Amino acid sequence: MSNTVTKPRTKVRTQVERPRLYKVILVNDDFTPREFVVMVLKAEFRMTEDQAHKVMITAHKLGSCVVAVFTRDVAETKATRATDAGRAKGYPLLFTIEPEE
Ligand code: TYC
């Protein structure tokens, strides 16, 4: 029929992508006391004593350890706050961030 109206079959969908996630990495050094590293991990990353101790020991033995994964803003804020906590005590404690693959 020439007067038939057909609806277009295509639907427009807005593409949404998951935000890229960033790893917060604890870097070992020779000066920051172990107990202090554990305290910062507990305070800034809400870890238990057990979790914090495992992460600290892993960084101590291997050179670094992934602490947790967040969106970029949260990862940057937490890494900065945790690094500053060490600096305030004169320690070279360092947290860095790295994008996930
Ligand atoms: N290596 C430090 C020491 O022996 C402890 C330490 C562990 C420091 C992990 C930093 O990311 C770190 N006192």
Side-chain angles (χ1 to χ4, degrees):
M1 278 179 218
S2 59
N3 62 349
T4 304
V5 178
T6 51
K7 274 190 189 167
R9 288 197 176 277
T10 51
K11 275 188 184 164
V12 177
R13 286 234 182 86
T14 306
Q15 282 282 352
V16 286
E17 283 180 21
R18 292 178 188 283
R20 196 155 195 211
L21 295 178
Y22 286 73
K23 297 179 277 193
V24 173
I25 297 165
L26 169 65
V27 181
N28 186 41
D29 67 72
D30 291 338
F31 303 101
T32 310
R34 293 177 178 210
E35 305 71 43
F36 185 80
V37 179
V38 169
M39 195 200 75
V40 170
L41 287 170
K42 286 165 70 178
E44 191 59 47
F45 299 94
R46 296 162 161 265
M47 291 182 156
T48 64
E49 178 79 26
D50 228 51
Q51 294 171 323
H53 194 262
K54 279 179 183 154
V55 167
M56 181 278 293
I57 285 293
T58 302
H60 177 74
K61 286 183 179 161
L62 304 181
S64 66
C65 182
V66 175
V67 178
V69 168
F70 303 101
T71 54
R72 185 176 185 163
D73 271 15
V74 176
E76 273 173 355
T77 302
K78 285 185 180 287
T80 302
R81 284 172 49 103
T83 299
D84 286 352
R87 182 172 301 177
K89 294 273 185 186
Y91 298 135
L93 182 64
L94 178 63
F95 290 80
T96 60
I97 76 167
E98 195 180 288
E100 270 200 333
E101 310 70 42

